[in-house]
Amino acid sequence: MSEIKETAIGKALRILRFFERENRPATIQELSRALDIKRATVHRTVQNLVEHGMLRHEVNGSRVSLGGAVLALGVSLTNSLRSGVLLESARPHLENLREKTGCGVTLELFSGMRSILLFALKGLRVVSFAGSLGDVMPWHAAAGAKATLAHVHADDLSQLLTERMFPFTPNTITDPKRFLAELKTVRRKGYATDLGETQLGVNAVAVPFFSYDGRPAGAVVAMDVGLDLQGPEPKVITLVRETAQAISTRNFAPGIPRG
């Protein structure tokens, strides 16, 4: 990338995104080499970012990493989405999905490798939800959690897979290898299912929506007693997919999943 055309803000953003991608401290020299920016420019930009709390010096002083201001921004974004910005635009689409399918419909927010139940509409045939608003959904069983985790890098799943995979029902996946195989299928199909894995007799389908940079931001879920999700793609899956895309387009302008 040409330094003549790139602005100082552009360089600063690329430096911050380096830490998002690499998830490790780095020296000025490493940043300069990885980003193809002159060492003096990196040094000056890093100092400005440190002054504003976006980066911080490690204990030994030779490396820098993301600072507390970045975390504060992330918390503010999450709080903003939870407080109604996302819901305000998503609710009409979710209500339309419920009316067209008769299913219970939920909206989940993906944060910190977890899917959080943000909003729920009871189905026309009344399905009770296994949880309350704000609850963290079972990452290895719930359709929304699987829909988002399918788009996370395999290295980022390693810590998650050390946790116990609790068997909510006899259908719950409790083997890490089988779970990873399931995520590959989800990524290929573009949707995830929960076939009585969290509640016996209740089936669910979920489609993720994506942020501006293509990362999973959450999922739209439709569920019902005995919901038929077998054979050729049922109409409900198409409707859930359309709803998720509408939410992504409206809020994230639009996000496209990374390959």
Side-chain angles (χ1 to χ4, degrees):
M1 184 177 293
S2 172
E3 287 203 46
I4 296 177
K5 296 180 181 180
E6 188 177 26
T7 65
I9 292 177
K11 296 185 184 74
L13 290 174
R14 282 211 290 139
I15 288 172
L16 291 174
R17 295 301 293 272
F18 169 89
F19 293 100
E20 175 194 20
R21 183 177 65 253
E22 297 293 328
N23 193 28
R24 63 177 177 83
T27 64
I28 299 297
Q29 184 176 353
E30 288 174 321
L31 291 169
S32 175
R33 183 171 57 250
L35 301 174
D36 192 23
I37 302 175
K38 291 179 180 178
R39 194 175 189 279
T41 302
V42 172
H43 184 271
R44 182 172 62 253
T45 306
V46 164
Q47 287 305 110
N48 285 330
L49 290 171
V50 168
E51 289 174 7
H52 288 279
M54 304 300 287
L55 293 179
R56 67 182 181 87
H57 289 291
E58 294 290 294
V59 176
N60 61 15
S62 65
R63 301 184 178 212
V64 292
S65 58
L66 291 177
V70 174
L71 176 61
L73 284 175
V75 171
S76 295
L77 173 60
T78 300
N79 289 338
S80 176
L81 290 174
R82 289 180 182 173
S83 66
V85 174
L86 178 60
L87 283 180
E88 183 179 353
S89 63
R91 183 163 187 156
H93 299 291
L94 299 172
E95 291 176 342
N96 183 55
L97 177 62
R98 194 261 305 269
E99 292 303 314
K100 287 184 175 180
T101 64
C103 294
V105 173
T106 65
L107 181 69
E108 295 178 11
L109 183 67
F110 189 59
S111 178
M113 298 291 287
R114 306 291 177 173
S115 286
I116 302 166
L117 184 58
L118 188 65
F119 180 70
L121 289 170
K122 286 186 178 180
L124 300 182
R125 290 171 289 277
V126 187
V127 174
S128 60
F129 298 102
S132 303
L133 298 185
D135 281 358
V136 175
M137 305 306 291
W139 59 269
H140 62 294
K146 290 190 285 185
T148 48
L149 288 174
H151 296 275
V152 170
H153 194 280
D155 291 343
D156 296 328
L157 293 173
S158 57
Q159 181 61 39
L160 198 63
L161 293 174
T162 64
E163 299 180 11
R164 184 191 176 202
M165 302 173 76
F166 182 81
F168 294 97
T169 77
N171 298 333
T172 306
I173 295 175
T174 57
D175 176 67
K177 290 184 178 179
R178 185 182 165 199
F179 180 72
L180 289 174
E182 173 87 352
L183 292 189
K184 288 183 179 180
T185 300
V186 170
R187 187 177 177 92
R188 175 174 55 82
K189 290 184 175 181
Y191 65 87
T193 59
D194 170 355
L195 304 179
E197 295 165 54
T198 54
Q199 289 179 279
L200 280 176
V202 178
N203 294 341
V205 58
V207 176
F209 55 90
F210 299 88
S211 67
Y212 69 95
D213 60 357
R215 294 176 181 272
V220 174
V221 185
M223 65 190 73
D224 204 352
V225 175
L227 182 63
D228 185 9
L229 298 172
Q230 304 300 318
E233 185 170 305
K235 182 69 178 297
V236 64
I237 296 177
T238 301
L239 292 171
V240 173
R241 181 179 284 117
E242 291 173 351
T243 303
Q245 181 59 55
I247 291 172
S248 183
T249 300
R250 174 65 179 83
N251 292 278
F252 303 104
I256 301 174
R258 293 177 295 179

